Amino acid sequence: MSGKIKAGLWFDPRTKLLLLLLTALGATMAPSLMYELGLVMLVALMALVCGEWRKSALGLPAYLLFYLLTLAVMQTDGSSLQTTLMAFLGLFHKVYPCGFLAGVMISTTKVSEFLSAMSRIHAPKKLVIPFAVMLRYMPAIREDWHFIKDAMQLRDVSPNLAGLLTHPVRTVECVYVPLMMAASKAADELSIASVTRGIENPRPRTCLVQICFRAADLLAVVCFAAYLAAGLFWKEAFL
Amino acid sequence: MVNQKVSNQKGLTVKDLVTTGIFAALIWVTMLIGGLPFAPNPLLTFYMPLGGALLGGPVFLLLVAKVPKRGPISIVGILAGLIFFATGMHWAMDLGYVLGGLLGDLIAGTKKYRSVKLNIVAYICLCLGATGSYIAFFADPTAWSSLMLNGGTAQSYLDAMNGAAQGWMLPVILLGTVVVGAFSGYVGSKLLKKQFEKAGITA
C-alpha cells in the first residue's frame, strides 16, 4: 500500500469502540483514584502502541498534575477550597480517561475504515453516515471560523466579547450567517461527492484496508477487560 | 403541499443524512463552546446546561427547515449523546440528549416540522438533555463524589458538600435552560426569516 503508513500497530475500528466502552465503564465504576491513574496509564500505553507518541507524552503528565492537585486538595480536610473544587475534580477524573482514548482513536481511524467496520456489524446507515460526516466536518468548522474572523476584522466588526456587547445583533449575524451558509454549502457538495462515490450502493461495502480482528486486537481487549474486572472484584488492591 | 407529502414518504435521502451530520457537528460545537466557560469553574459548573443552550438555536432551526422530516432531530440527539459518551461525560447526560432528541422529534413532528414555535420547543427538549447529569447529581450527591470519599473522608466534608449543593439549584437549572433555549430559538427564528429564507437556503 502507500508509503504513508504511520509507525505503530493497526487496530480494528470495532476493537477501538469496544475499548472505549470498557474504558467508560471502568471510569464510571472506578473504586479509587489509584485505579483511575492506572486506567490513564493503560490508555497512554495504548496511544504509544498506536504510534501516537506525542499524545501519550502530553496526556499522561497532564493527568499526573491533576492527580497530585487532587491529592493536595484532599489533604485540606473540610476547607472551603475542598468543597468548591470537589465537584469539578470529580467530573474531571471521570472524563479524562475516555476523552484521552477518544482523541487517540479519532486521530488513528480513517473514515473509510470506520464505515466498513460499521457496515460489517450492520449498524443502521441512518446513524453511521451522519456520524462519519460529523467527525469529518468538525476540523472544518475550526478552519471556517478562522476565515470568518479574518473577514470580520476586514470589515471592522470585532469578533470578540466587546463587539458582542456593543453591537449584539450585527456581531451575531456576522458570525452565524457565514458559518451556516458554509455548512449548508458543504452539505450539498459532500452529498454529491458521496453519492458519486457510491454510498447508496446496496451491496456490501468493500475497503482496501482489510478489516479483521488480529492478535493485537485480542491482546488489547484482554488487557482492558482484565483491568475492568480487577477494578470490580479486587477493589481492596486499589485502595 | 402534494410535493411535501412525496418528500415525506420517501424517508431520509443520503443528502438529508449528510446535512444532518454537518449540522449535528455544528450544534455539538455550539454546545461545547457555550458550556466550556462554565464547566471548569467549580462555582459555575452547575450552570453548564444554560451556557450549552445559548448558541445552538439558529443552527438547529436551520437544520429543521432544511430537512423537515422525521429523523434528523433524533439523530442529532443520539449523535450528541454518543460523542459526549465517547469523550467520557456522565452517562445521565448522554442518555438525556438521546431522550431529548427523540422527544423533540415527536413534538416538532405533530405540525410536520413547519411550526416555528414547536421547533423551538423541540430545541428546548434537546437542551434539557444536558441537565441529566445534574439531576443524577442532586438525586444522590454522595454517590457522585464517592470516588474521592473512599479514602475515608470526615463527616465535616460531607456536611460541607451538602451545603454547597442546595435544593433550589435544580429548578433554577431546569428553568434557566428552558428560558435560555427559548431565547436562542427566538434569535434563530428572526435570523432565519431575515437572512436564510430570502437566500433560498431553507428547503
Side-chain angles (χ1 to χ4, degrees), chain A residues 36-177:
Chain A
E36 203 86 22
L37 182 65
L39 195 61
V40 172
M41 278 177 175
L42 205 59
V43 173
L45 187 69
M46 183 77 193
L48 210 60
V49 170
C50 285
E52 293 282 321
W53 59 269
R54 188 177 298 170
K55 276 206 174 64
S56 180
L58 281 176
L60 191 56
Y63 183 76
L64 273 177
L65 209 66
F66 269 93
Y67 182 73
L68 293 176
L69 178 70
T70 312
L71 285 188
V73 170
M74 294 272 292
Q75 291 299 315
T76 60
D77 215 14
S79 70
S80 60
L81 181 72
Q82 189 182 29
T83 19
T84 46
L85 278 178
M86 203 45 91
F88 162 63
L89 286 175
L91 188 73
F92 179 84
H93 286 288
K94 289 221 183 298
V95 166
Y96 199 87
C98 298
F100 191 13
L101 189 64
V104 171
M105 291 188 164
I106 289 171
S107 59
T108 55
T109 310
K110 291 198 190 86
V111 172
S112 63
E113 286 171 20
F114 175 77
L115 282 179
S116 310
M118 286 304 102
S119 71
R120 279 282 190 85
I121 57 169
H122 302 288
K125 255 190 172 178
K126 275 183 186 168
L127 275 182
V128 173
I129 293 174
F131 191 65
V133 170
M134 190 174 172
L135 290 184
R136 162 71 185 73
Y137 191 65
M138 271 183 200
I141 294 176
R142 197 193 185 132
E143 220 168 88
D144 281 350
W145 170 243
H146 285 297
F147 292 139
I148 291 168
K149 224 161 67 175
D150 288 348
M152 280 169 83
Q153 268 158 355
L154 214 61
R155 291 187 50 190
D156 269 345
V157 184
S158 52
N160 51 28
L161 202 62
L164 190 66
L165 289 178
T166 46
H167 302 281
V169 177
R170 196 180 65 175
T171 312
V172 164
E173 272 182 3
C174 288
V175 172
Y176 274 105
V177 174

Side-chain angles (χ1 to χ4, degrees), chain B residues 154-171:
Chain B
Q155 185 64 36
S156 65
Y157 164 69
L158 277 179
D159 297 340
M161 185 81 198
N162 288 336
Q166 269 149 25
W168 54 263
M169 259 174 141
L170 187 59

Side-chain angles (χ1 to χ4, degrees), chain A residues 21-43:
Chain A
L21 187 67
L22 288 175
T23 312
L25 286 176
T28 315
M29 295 189 262
S32 73
L33 266 182
M34 187 83 95
Y35 183 84
E36 203 86 22
L37 182 65
L39 195 61
V40 172
M41 278 177 175
L42 205 59
V43 173

Side-chain angles (χ1 to χ4, degrees), chain B residues 3 15 18 88 98 109 119 121 129 139 144 171 175 181:
Chain B
N3 203 1
K15 192 182 166 187
V18 171
V98 174
N119 290 346
V121 172
W144 178 270
L175 259 177

